[in-house]
Amino acid sequence: MPLALLVPLYLILVLLPSALAWAQGLPPRPLADDLASGAGLVALAMTLAEFLLLGRFRAVTRRAGSDVVMRAHQVLARVALGMVVAHPFLYVSPMMPPPVWDVTRQTALNYGWAGLWPGIAAWLLLGGLVAMAIGRDASGARYEQWRLLHGLVAVAVAGLGVLHALRAGRYSADPLLGWVWIALLAVAAGALLHVYLVAPLLRWRRPWRVVSVAPAAARTWTVRLAPDFAGPVAYEAGQFAWLNLGRGVFSLDENPFSISSAPSQGRGMEFVIKELGDFTRTIGQLRPGTRAWVEGPHGHLTIKDHADAPGVALIAGGVGIAPLLGILREMAATGDPRPAVLLYGNRTEAQIVARAELERLAAGHGAEVVHVLSEPPEGWTGTTGLIDAALLRQHFAATERRDWVYVLCGPPAMLVSVGAALRGLGIPRARILSERFVYD
Ligand SMILES: Cc1cc2nc3c(=O)[nH]c(=O)nc-3n(C[C@H](O)[C@H](O)[C@H](O)COP(=O)(O)OP(=O)(O)OC[C@H]3O[C@@H](n4cnc5c(N)ncnc54)[C@H](O)[C@@H]3O)c2cc1C
């Protein structure tokens, strides 16, 4: 789905209930009351739309990038929370049962307890949900447990929010809007069911097996998987997948990793995994033959949409080399004649992944590979320091490189500074692709 369609579609989805409310043409109330209702209607629609921004739907992530989708999920949740917090405080009409003749509830807010309690519960839970997301890392909770709790509370917020709208809402009392809420709730629940039930069921017929686990660099491993099913394995160089290694197909223990192999090299997949936390630190103990499940491919870090770019610049920091290795391998395997430059930054020499292969790729394909070390060993004759504006200018300032495609992967701070430096060199935003390895 084209990116230009995604934003209007989102806006239609979240504004539809308000538009239907407005179309009811109910007699006017104090402006503050209608602002309060509007905030509630938009916030509830946004909360339900959050279920589509899980970073798992390819139609969305393929264009926008899963990190951008996750960022949108986080920012929009905070916006919705702001509106939800304001919602009850904006009302100015007195809270009492309206007279029986006031069927449109103009003279008072008709909040019986049956309609009020789901709203209060959703109001409190949504605040808790956002606070839990912001404080995720500080809480020390295991990511998988956090994600399960996050999902369960989100479902409760969505269900209680819709119940509140149906029971207490002036506009949602209208049958059409009522059905729209139920349909949106069904879409939200369907999105979760798809990710955690339907998709794993389909994956069950596509098992993978660990073929080998080998050291790739300091605290970094190369994991190779082979499919145990017939049929195509489709992905594009530079994409990533959610890996479940050695668990049941429905397990929530799955982590995202970039695919470092090239699709043209065969049906197997390779990943370069750096030890970081509880799961990645156990990668070295993984045994060949272990069952694996691959959910994907996802991500937009692929040069396929940039076939018209006259050259390819790859800029990696640390384990960010993984997807770029896939792209270089694919270029070599398919005989892509375009010039390519890889700037590969690491702290120490021991952290360099696939050094010999990169040299072979440089010699065979003609790619230029530049290693950059911030803590070089004695006698290091290569580039030192960080991948900074000066180094980027040295390699990419030439006018004929302005239309190249630039693929960035590395620590968040590096992505920000390199992206800004490239834009400073006049490289169009649309030619700079980057993907973050953390959703924070
Ligand atoms: C699109 C993408 C591609 C990635 N590609 C690579 C790669 O090629 N090689 C590599 O070494 N690392 C990659 N990562 C990072 C990798 O996913 C994390 O390092 C790994 O999940 C950490 O898991 P852990 O349990 O060992 O660490 P933890 O200590 O549990 O987590 C450390 C941090 O990793 C993130 N994380 C942990 N679990 C998950 C999860 N299930 N889903 C999402 N984020 C999680 C969270 O930000 C968490 O704070 C990628 C991440 C993303 C988002």
Side-chain angles (χ1 to χ4, degrees), residues 239-269:
Q239 287 194 291
F240 76 91
W242 291 76
L243 272 196
N244 163 340
L245 298 170
R247 311 269 180 171
V249 72
F250 294 106
S251 170
L252 293 180
D253 283 355
E254 43 174 14
N255 298 58
F257 295 106
S258 297
I259 307 167
S260 58
S261 49
S264 300
Q265 288 178 320
R267 294 173 70 240
M269 274 189 190

mmCIF file of all heavy atoms in Angstrom, residues 239-269:
data_model
loop_
_atom_site.group_PDB
_atom_site.id
_atom_site.type_symbol
_atom_site.label_atom_id
_atom_site.label_comp_id
_atom_site.label_asym_id
_atom_site.label_seq_id
_atom_site.Cartn_x
_atom_site.Cartn_y
_atom_site.Cartn_z
ATOM 1 N N GLN A 239 15.747 -6.886 4.843
ATOM 2 C CA GLN A 239 14.544 -6.951 5.697
ATOM 3 C C GLN A 239 14.850 -7.692 7.009
ATOM 4 O O GLN A 239 15.935 -8.250 7.177
ATOM 5 C CB GLN A 239 13.410 -7.638 4.942
ATOM 6 C CG GLN A 239 12.823 -6.748 3.844
ATOM 7 C CD GLN A 239 11.508 -7.281 3.324
ATOM 8 O OE1 GLN A 239 11.470 -8.316 2.674
ATOM 9 N NE2 GLN A 239 10.440 -6.572 3.616
ATOM 10 N N PHE A 240 13.886 -7.701 7.909
ATOM 11 C CA PHE A 240 14.094 -8.416 9.171
ATOM 12 C C PHE A 240 12.917 -9.340 9.447
ATOM 13 O O PHE A 240 11.883 -9.277 8.774
ATOM 14 C CB PHE A 240 14.316 -7.441 10.325
ATOM 15 C CG PHE A 240 13.067 -6.763 10.822
ATOM 16 C CD1 PHE A 240 12.310 -7.308 11.846
ATOM 17 C CD2 PHE A 240 12.635 -5.567 10.260
ATOM 18 C CE1 PHE A 240 11.152 -6.673 12.306
ATOM 19 C CE2 PHE A 240 11.493 -4.919 10.715
ATOM 20 C CZ PHE A 240 10.752 -5.480 11.738
ATOM 21 N N ALA A 241 13.117 -10.229 10.416
ATOM 22 C CA ALA A 241 12.044 -11.161 10.788
ATOM 23 C C ALA A 241 12.019 -11.299 12.309
ATOM 24 O O ALA A 241 13.008 -11.019 12.974
ATOM 25 C CB ALA A 241 12.303 -12.514 10.141
ATOM 26 N N TRP A 242 10.872 -11.726 12.815
ATOM 27 C CA TRP A 242 10.765 -12.043 14.252
ATOM 28 C C TRP A 242 11.135 -13.510 14.392
ATOM 29 O O TRP A 242 10.516 -14.380 13.778
ATOM 30 C CB TRP A 242 9.345 -11.797 14.749
ATOM 31 C CG TRP A 242 8.998 -10.349 14.783
ATOM 32 C CD1 TRP A 242 8.689 -9.554 13.712
ATOM 33 C CD2 TRP A 242 8.963 -9.506 15.928
ATOM 34 N NE1 TRP A 242 8.466 -8.276 14.128
ATOM 35 C CE2 TRP A 242 8.618 -8.206 15.488
ATOM 36 C CE3 TRP A 242 9.176 -9.716 17.292
ATOM 37 C CZ2 TRP A 242 8.496 -7.132 16.345
ATOM 38 C CZ3 TRP A 242 9.033 -8.639 18.157
ATOM 39 C CH2 TRP A 242 8.699 -7.375 17.689
ATOM 40 N N LEU A 243 12.150 -13.776 15.221
ATOM 41 C CA LEU A 243 12.656 -15.148 15.368
ATOM 42 C C LEU A 243 12.205 -15.742 16.690
ATOM 43 O O LEU A 243 12.333 -15.116 17.740
ATOM 44 C CB LEU A 243 14.177 -15.134 15.398
ATOM 45 C CG LEU A 243 14.952 -15.208 14.098
ATOM 46 C CD1 LEU A 243 16.399 -15.572 14.388
ATOM 47 C CD2 LEU A 243 14.332 -16.208 13.159
ATOM 48 N N ASN A 244 11.699 -16.944 16.581
ATOM 49 C CA ASN A 244 11.362 -17.726 17.769
ATOM 50 C C ASN A 244 12.254 -18.966 17.685
ATOM 51 O O ASN A 244 12.112 -19.776 16.779
ATOM 52 C CB ASN A 244 9.866 -18.062 17.698
ATOM 53 C CG ASN A 244 9.439 -19.179 18.610
ATOM 54 O OD1 ASN A 244 10.253 -19.990 19.050
ATOM 55 N ND2 ASN A 244 8.143 -19.262 18.874
ATOM 56 N N LEU A 245 13.201 -19.064 18.605
ATOM 57 C CA LEU A 245 14.172 -20.163 18.532
ATOM 58 C C LEU A 245 13.927 -21.142 19.673
ATOM 59 O O LEU A 245 14.082 -20.791 20.845
ATOM 60 C CB LEU A 245 15.600 -19.620 18.608
ATOM 61 C CG LEU A 245 16.000 -18.671 17.461
ATOM 62 C CD1 LEU A 245 17.328 -17.993 17.741
ATOM 63 C CD2 LEU A 245 16.058 -19.410 16.137
ATOM 64 N N GLY A 246 13.482 -22.335 19.311
ATOM 65 C CA GLY A 246 13.347 -23.407 20.296
ATOM 66 C C GLY A 246 12.095 -23.327 21.152
ATOM 67 O O GLY A 246 11.988 -24.048 22.145
ATOM 68 N N ARG A 247 11.163 -22.474 20.834
ATOM 69 C CA ARG A 247 9.909 -22.391 21.612
ATOM 70 C C ARG A 247 8.744 -22.901 20.772
ATOM 71 O O ARG A 247 8.883 -23.099 19.569
ATOM 72 C CB ARG A 247 9.604 -20.940 21.980
ATOM 73 C CG ARG A 247 10.761 -20.214 22.570
ATOM 74 C CD ARG A 247 10.749 -20.346 24.062
ATOM 75 N NE ARG A 247 11.864 -19.637 24.646
ATOM 76 C CZ ARG A 247 12.016 -19.445 25.931
ATOM 77 N NH1 ARG A 247 11.132 -19.922 26.768
ATOM 78 N NH2 ARG A 247 13.048 -18.812 26.404
ATOM 79 N N GLY A 248 7.582 -23.012 21.420
ATOM 80 C CA GLY A 248 6.380 -23.420 20.697
ATOM 81 C C GLY A 248 5.964 -22.323 19.731
ATOM 82 O O GLY A 248 6.317 -21.155 19.920
ATOM 83 N N VAL A 249 5.181 -22.724 18.721
ATOM 84 C CA VAL A 249 4.842 -21.762 17.675
ATOM 85 C C VAL A 249 4.017 -20.578 18.200
ATOM 86 O O VAL A 249 4.058 -19.473 17.652
ATOM 87 C CB VAL A 249 4.145 -22.490 16.496
ATOM 88 C CG1 VAL A 249 2.728 -22.915 16.873
ATOM 89 C CG2 VAL A 249 4.130 -21.648 15.242
ATOM 90 N N PHE A 250 3.280 -20.798 19.316
ATOM 91 C CA PHE A 250 2.458 -19.705 19.862
ATOM 92 C C PHE A 250 3.209 -18.882 20.913
ATOM 93 O O PHE A 250 2.636 -17.964 21.488
ATOM 94 C CB PHE A 250 1.181 -20.256 20.494
ATOM 95 C CG PHE A 250 0.251 -20.881 19.500
ATOM 96 C CD1 PHE A 250 0.110 -22.250 19.413
ATOM 97 C CD2 PHE A 250 -0.459 -20.076 18.613
ATOM 98 C CE1 PHE A 250 -0.735 -22.819 18.472
ATOM 99 C CE2 PHE A 250 -1.309 -20.635 17.677
ATOM 100 C CZ PHE A 250 -1.440 -22.008 17.606
ATOM 101 N N SER A 251 4.456 -19.232 21.168
ATOM 102 C CA SER A 251 5.190 -18.541 22.228
ATOM 103 C C SER A 251 5.333 -17.044 21.918
ATOM 104 O O SER A 251 5.501 -16.644 20.769
ATOM 105 C CB SER A 251 6.572 -19.160 22.383
ATOM 106 O OG SER A 251 7.353 -18.358 23.222
ATOM 107 N N LEU A 252 5.273 -16.248 22.979
ATOM 108 C CA LEU A 252 5.476 -14.800 22.809
ATOM 109 C C LEU A 252 6.966 -14.460 22.844
ATOM 110 O O LEU A 252 7.345 -13.307 22.664
ATOM 111 C CB LEU A 252 4.761 -14.032 23.917
ATOM 112 C CG LEU A 252 3.234 -14.095 23.913
ATOM 113 C CD1 LEU A 252 2.670 -13.284 25.062
ATOM 114 C CD2 LEU A 252 2.668 -13.592 22.596
ATOM 115 N N ASP A 253 7.795 -15.474 23.102
ATOM 116 C CA ASP A 253 9.246 -15.240 23.148
ATOM 117 C C ASP A 253 9.803 -15.190 21.740
ATOM 118 O O ASP A 253 10.302 -16.184 21.211
ATOM 119 C CB ASP A 253 9.938 -16.360 23.939
ATOM 120 C CG ASP A 253 9.754 -16.170 25.419
ATOM 121 O OD1 ASP A 253 9.177 -15.135 25.818
ATOM 122 O OD2 ASP A 253 10.174 -17.060 26.182
ATOM 123 N N GLU A 254 9.712 -14.060 21.123
ATOM 124 C CA GLU A 254 10.276 -13.890 19.783
ATOM 125 C C GLU A 254 10.895 -12.513 19.709
ATOM 126 O O GLU A 254 10.411 -11.578 20.332
ATOM 127 C CB GLU A 254 9.204 -14.080 18.702
ATOM 128 C CG GLU A 254 7.903 -13.405 19.045
ATOM 129 C CD GLU A 254 6.871 -13.447 17.941
ATOM 130 O OE1 GLU A 254 7.027 -14.209 16.989
ATOM 131 O OE2 GLU A 254 5.919 -12.660 18.043
ATOM 132 N N ASN A 255 11.997 -12.416 18.978
ATOM 133 C CA ASN A 255 12.729 -11.143 18.910
ATOM 134 C C ASN A 255 12.990 -10.789 17.454
ATOM 135 O O ASN A 255 13.181 -11.673 16.626
ATOM 136 C CB ASN A 255 14.083 -11.278 19.618
ATOM 137 C CG ASN A 255 13.926 -11.600 21.080
ATOM 138 O OD1 ASN A 255 13.325 -12.594 21.445
ATOM 139 N ND2 ASN A 255 14.449 -10.764 21.933
ATOM 140 N N PRO A 256 13.040 -9.492 17.154
ATOM 141 C CA PRO A 256 13.292 -9.095 15.765
ATOM 142 C C PRO A 256 14.792 -9.084 15.435
ATOM 143 O O PRO A 256 15.582 -8.549 16.205
ATOM 144 C CB PRO A 256 12.729 -7.660 15.714
ATOM 145 C CG PRO A 256 12.815 -7.160 17.120
ATOM 146 C CD PRO A 256 12.777 -8.341 18.038
ATOM 147 N N PHE A 257 15.146 -9.682 14.311
ATOM 148 C CA PHE A 257 16.543 -9.653 13.847
ATOM 149 C C PHE A 257 16.568 -9.461 12.336
ATOM 150 O O PHE A 257 15.749 -10.042 11.617
ATOM 151 C CB PHE A 257 17.270 -10.964 14.201
ATOM 152 C CG PHE A 257 17.419 -11.166 15.688
ATOM 153 C CD1 PHE A 257 16.634 -12.089 16.351
ATOM 154 C CD2 PHE A 257 18.322 -10.403 16.412
ATOM 155 C CE1 PHE A 257 16.738 -12.256 17.719
ATOM 156 C CE2 PHE A 257 18.436 -10.563 17.787
ATOM 157 C CZ PHE A 257 17.648 -11.490 18.442
ATOM 158 N N SER A 258 17.550 -8.688 11.876
ATOM 159 C CA SER A 258 17.704 -8.466 10.441
ATOM 160 C C SER A 258 18.236 -9.726 9.780
ATOM 161 O O SER A 258 19.039 -10.456 10.369
ATOM 162 C CB SER A 258 18.685 -7.330 10.200
ATOM 163 O OG SER A 258 18.152 -6.156 10.745
ATOM 164 N N ILE A 259 17.804 -9.940 8.563
ATOM 165 C CA ILE A 259 18.275 -11.106 7.802
ATOM 166 C C ILE A 259 19.570 -10.676 7.112
ATOM 167 O O ILE A 259 19.578 -9.694 6.367
ATOM 168 C CB ILE A 259 17.216 -11.533 6.755
ATOM 169 C CG1 ILE A 259 15.858 -11.726 7.441
ATOM 170 C CG2 ILE A 259 17.660 -12.785 6.024
ATOM 171 C CD1 ILE A 259 14.676 -11.830 6.484
ATOM 172 N N SER A 260 20.651 -11.398 7.405
ATOM 173 C CA SER A 260 21.933 -10.961 6.841
ATOM 174 C C SER A 260 22.293 -11.738 5.582
ATOM 175 O O SER A 260 23.317 -11.470 4.967
ATOM 176 C CB SER A 260 23.043 -11.095 7.882
ATOM 177 O OG SER A 260 23.117 -12.432 8.323
ATOM 178 N N SER A 261 21.466 -12.730 5.234
ATOM 179 C CA SER A 261 21.738 -13.474 3.995
ATOM 180 C C SER A 261 21.052 -12.773 2.829
ATOM 181 O O SER A 261 20.265 -11.845 3.015
ATOM 182 C CB SER A 261 21.219 -14.909 4.129
ATOM 183 O OG SER A 261 19.897 -14.884 4.615
ATOM 184 N N ALA A 262 21.362 -13.276 1.627
ATOM 185 C CA ALA A 262 20.775 -12.692 0.416
ATOM 186 C C ALA A 262 19.780 -13.686 -0.171
ATOM 187 O O ALA A 262 20.087 -14.881 -0.259
ATOM 188 C CB ALA A 262 21.879 -12.411 -0.594
ATOM 189 N N PRO A 263 18.611 -13.220 -0.576
ATOM 190 C CA PRO A 263 17.605 -14.161 -1.104
ATOM 191 C C PRO A 263 18.112 -14.947 -2.317
ATOM 192 O O PRO A 263 17.749 -16.104 -2.486
ATOM 193 C CB PRO A 263 16.430 -13.253 -1.480
ATOM 194 C CG PRO A 263 16.900 -11.856 -1.349
ATOM 195 C CD PRO A 263 18.114 -11.860 -0.485
ATOM 196 N N SER A 264 18.987 -14.348 -3.107
ATOM 197 C CA SER A 264 19.464 -15.049 -4.309
ATOM 198 C C SER A 264 20.453 -16.152 -3.976
ATOM 199 O O SER A 264 20.843 -16.914 -4.845
ATOM 200 C CB SER A 264 20.141 -14.064 -5.266
ATOM 201 O OG SER A 264 19.228 -13.092 -5.645
ATOM 202 N N GLN A 265 20.895 -16.235 -2.707
ATOM 203 C CA GLN A 265 21.876 -17.267 -2.337
ATOM 204 C C GLN A 265 21.229 -18.588 -1.962
ATOM 205 O O GLN A 265 21.932 -19.549 -1.661
ATOM 206 C CB GLN A 265 22.717 -16.780 -1.153
ATOM 207 C CG GLN A 265 23.704 -15.686 -1.529
ATOM 208 C CD GLN A 265 24.485 -15.203 -0.300
ATOM 209 O OE1 GLN A 265 23.934 -15.066 0.786
ATOM 210 N NE2 GLN A 265 25.765 -14.949 -0.492
ATOM 211 N N GLY A 266 19.897 -18.647 -1.923
ATOM 212 C CA GLY A 266 19.249 -19.915 -1.585
ATOM 213 C C GLY A 266 18.116 -19.702 -0.611
ATOM 214 O O GLY A 266 17.790 -18.569 -0.249
ATOM 215 N N ARG A 267 17.505 -20.838 -0.141
ATOM 216 C CA ARG A 267 16.309 -20.727 0.689
ATOM 217 C C ARG A 267 16.623 -20.555 2.171
ATOM 218 O O ARG A 267 15.733 -20.289 2.967
ATOM 219 C CB ARG A 267 15.427 -21.951 0.489
ATOM 220 C CG ARG A 267 14.844 -22.038 -0.926
ATOM 221 C CD ARG A 267 14.121 -23.352 -1.140
ATOM 222 N NE ARG A 267 12.885 -23.439 -0.394
ATOM 223 C CZ ARG A 267 12.618 -24.359 0.512
ATOM 224 N NH1 ARG A 267 13.519 -25.265 0.816
ATOM 225 N NH2 ARG A 267 11.450 -24.367 1.122
ATOM 226 N N GLY A 268 17.881 -20.753 2.552
ATOM 227 C CA GLY A 268 18.238 -20.602 3.967
ATOM 228 C C GLY A 268 18.269 -19.135 4.363
ATOM 229 O O GLY A 268 18.216 -18.250 3.507
ATOM 230 N N MET A 269 18.307 -18.912 5.677
ATOM 231 C CA MET A 269 18.420 -17.530 6.164
ATOM 232 C C MET A 269 19.554 -17.465 7.179
ATOM 233 O O MET A 269 19.798 -18.420 7.917
ATOM 234 C CB MET A 269 17.138 -17.105 6.883
ATOM 235 C CG MET A 269 16.080 -16.558 5.978
ATOM 236 S SD MET A 269 14.758 -15.856 6.985
ATOM 237 C CE MET A 269 13.531 -15.569 5.724
#
